[in-house]
Amino acid sequence: MKRESLREKNKEDKLLRIKKAAIDLFLSKGFDDTTTREIAAQAGVGMGTVFVYAETKRDLLFLIVNDGLEACVSEARATIQPDYSLLRNLLIILRRHYQYFAESPVLSRAALREMYFYQSGKQAERFNRTRHALRHLLIDLISEALEKGIITSTAGADLIAQTVFAIYQVDLRIWLSEDDLDLDAGTDRLRRQIEIVLTGLSPQASALALPG
């Protein structure tokens, strides 16, 4: 029992050292200019040990951010309330993610850039599960609003949620590119865009006409 406990403690210690080394080097040298070998050397472990936790440098980046992203979804799920408006609950969820990404803009910008087509690596499945959980949290809220008649739409909850999710993903990147990361201003801009989705544009038939 003691031997097993010591082995687990050593594994946890190595993981923490790898994550700290990666963070320090990504921040000081930049993600692109850092090598996995440098991370292993600074962490005081072999390359094989690094590959136990992450297959690539990109995987190491997501090893760092995955904990925080999972916490964002869990905290948001615990904070939303059934008596809040749909808009308020959506903003609770998405503002918490803005807040998280603003904690380390340099790492966040690299992570958001690398998110596209992120399908391979030890951390990819975990990241994709978290993104799936966020989308389904949005879908659950919108489904409930549709069922209660709070909103009406011919589109399904999944498509509406995907629209909100797409707005969030694009605007988050625009916001993180700014020098002054004003959380209130960013959330307010996001709110105005989501309101357009929720209120609709009341188009005339000519606005929807397509050729052919």
Side-chain angles (χ1 to χ4, degrees), residues 15 30 35 37 43 54 63 97 106 115 144 157 164 188 190:
L15 175 58
T35 67
R37 189 170 298 278
L63 174 63
H97 284 74
V106 173
M115 278 181 184
E144 184 178 4
V164 172
D188 186 63
L190 180 65

Side-chain angles (χ1 to χ4, degrees), residues 1-9:
M1 182 70 72
K2 289 183 179 179
R3 184 179 300 171
E4 184 67 24
S5 177
L6 181 60
R7 185 181 293 116
E8 290 302 315
K9 187 176 184 302

Side-chain angles (χ1 to χ4, degrees), residues 69-147:
L69 289 174
E70 288 173 355
C72 281
V73 176
S74 297
E75 291 169 14
R77 188 181 295 277
T79 307
I80 58 178
Q81 298 294 328
D83 57 335
Y84 289 172
S85 71
L86 173 59
L87 179 60
R88 184 176 179 183
N89 277 328
L90 290 173
L91 290 175
I92 285 173
I93 296 167
L94 301 178
R95 180 187 174 95
R96 180 64 190 89
H97 284 74
Y98 273 52
Q99 189 177 33
Y100 169 69
F101 284 114
E103 290 171 3
S104 183
V106 173
L107 289 179
S108 296
R109 289 165 187 147
L112 288 169
R113 185 189 69 183
E114 296 297 319
M115 278 181 184
Y116 288 113
F117 310 114
Y118 183 47
Q119 299 296 331
S120 62
K122 293 179 182 296
Q123 297 297 317
E125 183 179 350
R126 184 180 171 200
F127 166 72
N128 285 324
R129 282 200 308 268
T130 305
R131 182 165 58 182
H132 186 71
L134 172 57
R135 288 187 63 251
H136 270 271
L137 184 53
L138 301 178
I139 290 172
D140 290 345
L141 283 174
I142 292 167
S143 292
E144 184 178 4
L146 286 168
E147 289 169 5

